[in-house]
Amino acid sequence: MSDPVPASEPVEQQKIDTSVPHSARIWNYWLGGEDNYPVDEAAGDAYTEVFPGIVTIARSSRGFLRRTIAYLVAEAGIRQFLDVGTGLPTAQNTHQVAQGLAPEARIVYVDNDPMVLAHARTLLHSTAEGATAYIDADVTDPDRILEVAARTLDFGRPTALILSNILGHVADHDQARSIVTRLMEVLPSGSYLSVNDGSRGIDPVFEQAQDAYNNSGAVPYNLRALDEITAFFDGLELVEPGVVPVTQWRPEPGPGVPEVIAEHGGLARKP
């Protein structure tokens, strides 16, 4: 296990604001985790009263993450992961899935939430053969992310960039695309990009609930149209079946056809 990347300041000096709901803690609540506060539970319950399907979206997003990482390790041979917008640890985090298949895998997590930072030791629990590290940084600062991640990852080797439900926090689409471009341009040929985010044009009830949440004073999360999500993969080679509802990206065998939900994702290889 590598030495953890130090945070910008000690955990005890970082203030966790429990007076307003926070998206990472609400997401944790929907996933069945315990790292949240009453204000987050109240906001999460208010959201589900309008749109109960958000719990399905949250859990389907986690399933998509697990399946893409399994593909990257078992089929694409990837052993390095840069997971930006980690969120709070629950089950089947990136390092658990990757190192469960390849103990030598190396993972760098990135987030700027003090509560996530407080759980960094959980995230940093690595196999002896591999390594995990944590960077306290914002998605809008890709240069810092790359600089610090290079202490753990070898950017001369193929690396998977994971952006799961984080680009929606970047309101301007052009800025979000430029962040993806900057992060990917450092990674060599044979690297991969995995993106999944909430989508518009599928479920108007979901859109109504999300718009109300964004207007509540909480940190907003912006849903995007399918073509906007697909644009994040420009210049890359999409892995089949392309950008689809996350439930339909290489689903595990089972009866029936997975439902269409307003959360799209895809995986693509850098030529």
Side-chain angles (χ1 to χ4, degrees), residues 65-86:
L65 178 68
R66 177 178 50 77
R67 295 194 305 278
T68 53
I69 293 171
Y71 171 90
L72 288 164
V73 174
E75 299 189 44
I78 297 296
R79 296 296 183 268
Q80 298 193 128
F81 296 82
L82 179 56
D83 186 339
V84 181
T86 303

Side-chain angles (χ1 to χ4, degrees), residues 141-263:
D141 192 359
D143 289 336
R144 168 173 163 75
I145 291 171
L146 292 167
E147 177 187 357
V148 183
R151 302 175 192 173
T152 301
L153 305 178
D154 176 3
F155 287 145
R157 298 172 54 206
T159 301
L161 172 62
I162 310 296
L163 296 166
S164 180
N165 291 109
I166 184 62
L167 294 174
H169 290 298
V170 182
D172 183 82
H173 185 240
D174 289 338
Q175 181 186 13
R177 289 188 64 183
S178 72
I179 290 169
V180 175
T181 299
R182 174 66 184 126
L183 292 170
M184 286 300 298
E185 70 183 3
V186 173
L187 306 184
S189 174
S191 294
Y192 283 80
L193 169 66
S194 175
V195 173
N196 63 284
D197 265 306
S199 49
R200 285 194 177 273
I202 304 296
D203 192 327
V205 180
F206 178 32
E207 295 170 21
Q208 176 187 352
Q210 188 60 47
D211 291 343
Y213 174 84
N214 290 350
N215 293 328
S216 70
V219 178
Y221 178 85
N222 303 278
L223 304 179
R224 289 199 161 94
L226 176 57
D227 62 342
E228 292 179 311
I229 296 174
T230 303
F232 291 130
F233 299 99
D234 285 353
L236 306 176
E237 300 169 345
L238 279 165
V239 175
E240 290 294 333
V243 181
V244 296
V246 292
T247 48
Q248 298 185 354
W249 197 92
R250 301 192 173 215
E252 292 163 347
V257 177
E259 65 179 308
V260 173
I261 63 174
E263 170 90 9

